[in-house]
Amino acid sequence: MLIVKEHKRLVFHWILFCVFVSVNPCTYLDAKAKDFICFDTEDVGQQDRQLPVIQPWKIVHLDPDYGGQWILAADLNGDGAVDIVSAENFNKDDVHYTSTAVAQNLDGSVLWQWGNPDIGRKNRHHDVACQIHDWNGDSKSEVVLCTKGFLVELEGATGRELRRIPIPDEAADCLVFCNLSGNSHPTDVLVKDRYHQIWAYNRQGKLLWTVRDPGGFRTAHQPRPIDIDGDGRDEIMAGYAMLNSDGSVRWVYKSKQVDQAKGHLDCARVFRQGVSPEDFRIVLTCCGANNIAFVDGNGKVLWEVSGHHFESVDVGRIIPGHAGLQICVDIDHQPYGKSPLWVLDEQGQPLGRLVTDYSRHHCLLDFTGDGIEEILVAHKGGLYDHQGRRIGTFNTPGEEIPGGTIKYEKSMLIGDITGDGRADVILVTPYNVYIYQNTSGPKTGKPVRPGTEPNFTLY
């Protein structure tokens, strides 16, 4: 009798398990399950011509002399329409500075030009120290950039140079606005050299602090401001070290799996904010050390996955029926045609893999209005659903590059360009900006300035 009861209990539990897995197949993983439990797909070579083609809403031909592949967007002159700012930079021996900037309307007409068009390069290789920011809090956009030896503030509407702040010649690798002073909005700015030193200035141009090899490691490509403790001042993820707002070291990420000295921090992204540091979750990728890590706001390592050159991270809801947010990260330094994107959950469990010809530049966006974010890959303009299937192609009609002589990687941004409260898609080459209107995705539900967020490449 006991044996029969035990048998019935096991059968009942097995039925419950089968129903659970059939309803939500991405929530169960055991030692016998395949590595990627939601999808493992490949989209390489020739594209399926039967798939929908998404045509651009606008094509902006960049200024042939001053324009470059570094792109930002905002309403610069207060007319209610978004304008495009593009920039070139000069590079020698991996030391570089912004050499041109140009503002254009969406019809391509030029608002203003700045700089020397004879010395820079158009194609994007790394972050360019040029951002759009309301620096003085007057609700108007300024264009701020780093050229050799100076931090330059330009009036957004006219390009008129408002002032120059002296900085070290090499401190033009990137430009990040932050709130170190506890003001009502970010008025402080971080500049840096390629891999070793960061300088922090306030709006008046006073040097607040500088740090070299924070925590004993190289800097990240781009410092990330994060108010970890809720005091109204940003802490700075400077590399493997989290700095306090005064530049002192708060904590240093220490891997249990890899030798961090082999490279530097590629990317830091907030996965979840919290009311206290231990509630925060931050994703870190390690260039050279071949690692991705998930840490809390105190630097405690919650999990790591090593063995691959993880690069840029997007965070969003990619897999329906799977609780919480997911991580989308590319693995770089792979042969052409074997370039993967991985999707991981909050526990580091691999949910999906999508292999394309080249996956380096990607975004997440709900473009279909189904409440789930699609994966967008700049190269060949791929739009992919939650099963890793290509469901559309962002077309780039016409000649992307006059003469086709420049080698480049398409870049991708998202931002509200049309002004309807939805994030649109922007594909960029060194000569053209292609804008695709998002007509189905959800509106933000809160007032936002049309345009893009600050640009970053994490190179």
Side-chain angles (χ1 to χ4, degrees), residues 11 68 116 181 183 211-212 217 226 253 291 298 344 365 421 434:
V11 170
N116 182 352
S181 305
N183 294 320
V211 62
R212 184 171 180 83
F217 294 100
I226 310 169
Y253 155 66
N291 198 41
N298 290 320
L344 307 170
L365 180 66
Y434 300 86

Side-chain angles (χ1 to χ4, degrees), residues 70-77 82-86 101-104 112 128-135 140-145 152 154-157 175-177 186 449-455:
W70 184 258
I71 293 295
L72 304 149
D75 179 4
L76 296 178
N77 55 11
V82 167
D83 308 297
I84 299 290
V85 172
S86 65
V102 58
Q104 296 177 251
W112 51 259
V128 176
C130 178
Q131 301 291 352
I132 298 175
H133 183 62
D134 177 12
W135 201 357
K140 297 178 182 179
S141 295
E142 287 80 51
V143 175
V144 187
L145 56 86
V152 181
L154 305 176
E155 186 176 58
L175 175 65
V176 177
F177 284 95
R449 280 189 169 189
T452 60
E453 295 181 344
N455 200 349

Side-chain angles (χ1 to χ4, degrees), residues 211-271:
V211 62
R212 184 171 180 83
D213 294 332
F217 294 100
R218 297 175 190 173
T219 64
H221 285 299
Q222 188 185 69
R224 296 297 293 179
I226 310 169
D227 184 3
I228 289 290
D229 54 15
D231 66 350
R233 299 170 186 261
D234 286 327
E235 284 70 47
I236 304 298
M237 196 78 205
Y240 292 131
M242 179 71 79
L243 307 181
N244 292 306
S245 58
D246 63 1
S248 61
V249 173
R250 187 183 184 97
W251 51 259
V252 179
Y253 155 66
K254 295 181 179 178
S255 173
K256 300 176 182 178
Q257 295 191 10
V258 298
D259 180 5
Q260 296 162 240
K262 288 184 176 179
H264 55 267
L265 183 74
D266 251 333
C267 177
R269 285 288 172 270
V270 175
F271 181 89

Side-chain angles (χ1 to χ4, degrees), residues 1 35 79-80 90 121 146 166 189 205 207 214 242 250 253 265 268 284 307 353 368 390 394 446:
M1 187 68 178
D35 289 338
D79 65 355
F90 172 83
R121 55 184 177 183
C146 294
V189 63
L207 179 65
M242 179 71 79
R250 187 183 184 97
Y253 155 66
L265 183 74
L284 308 175
R353 176 172 60 184
T368 63
R390 183 192 281 255
F394 294 101
K446 57 182 179 180

Side-chain angles (χ1 to χ4, degrees), residues 183-317:
N183 294 320
S184 59
H185 71 288
T187 57
D188 306 305
V189 63
L190 304 174
V191 296
K192 61 184 283 289
D193 65 11
R194 189 68 173 136
Y195 289 118
H196 295 286
Q197 191 161 357
I198 300 172
W199 293 261
Y201 294 89
N202 66 13
R203 166 149 173 77
Q204 290 69 43
K206 176 185 177 183
L207 179 65
L208 299 176
W209 48 261
T210 184
V211 62
R212 184 171 180 83
D213 294 332
F217 294 100
R218 297 175 190 173
T219 64
H221 285 299
Q222 188 185 69
R224 296 297 293 179
I226 310 169
D227 184 3
I228 289 290
D229 54 15
D231 66 350
R233 299 170 186 261
D234 286 327
E235 284 70 47
I236 304 298
M237 196 78 205
Y240 292 131
M242 179 71 79
L243 307 181
N244 292 306
S245 58
D246 63 1
S248 61
V249 173
R250 187 183 184 97
W251 51 259
V252 179
Y253 155 66
K254 295 181 179 178
S255 173
K256 300 176 182 178
Q257 295 191 10
V258 298
D259 180 5
Q260 296 162 240
K262 288 184 176 179
H264 55 267
L265 183 74
D266 251 333
C267 177
R269 285 288 172 270
V270 175
F271 181 89
R272 185 173 66 243
Q273 294 183 328
V275 296
S276 62
E278 54 266 26
D279 296 327
F280 271 77
R281 297 292 182 267
I282 305 170
V283 187
L284 308 175
T285 60
C286 310
C287 175
N290 289 358
N291 198 41
I292 183 171
F294 199 67
V295 305
D296 71 9
N298 290 320
K300 178 183 177 182
V301 179
L302 303 176
W303 55 258
E304 299 180 279
V305 177
S306 60
H308 303 279
H309 191 109
F310 298 101
E311 285 263 2
S312 296
V313 170
D314 296 319
V315 175
R317 188 163 180 259

Side-chain angles (χ1 to χ4, degrees), residues 408-455:
Y408 69 97
E409 301 168 5
K410 280 184 190 172
S411 53
M412 175 177 280
L413 299 90
I414 59 174
D416 182 8
I417 307 301
T418 63
D420 66 353
R422 294 184 178 94
D424 304 302
V425 180
I426 305 116
L427 278 177
V428 189
T429 78
Y431 285 89
N432 291 316
V433 174
Y434 300 86
I435 301 168
Y436 306 85
Q437 185 175 12
N438 182 0
T439 59
S440 300
K443 295 187 178 183
T444 59
K446 57 182 179 180
V448 293
R449 280 189 169 189
T452 60
E453 295 181 344
N455 200 349

Side-chain angles (χ1 to χ4, degrees), residues 370-389:
D370 61 356
I372 300 297
E373 293 181 276
E374 282 73 47
I375 300 171
L376 288 66
V377 179
H379 188 73
K380 293 186 177 179
L383 175 68
Y384 300 91
D385 69 6
H386 64 274
Q387 293 183 310
R389 301 171 301 191

Side-chain angles (χ1 to χ4, degrees), residues 60-72:
V60 181
H61 301 295
L62 295 174
D63 183 279
D65 297 319
Y66 288 79
Q69 199 177 354
W70 184 258
I71 293 295
L72 304 149

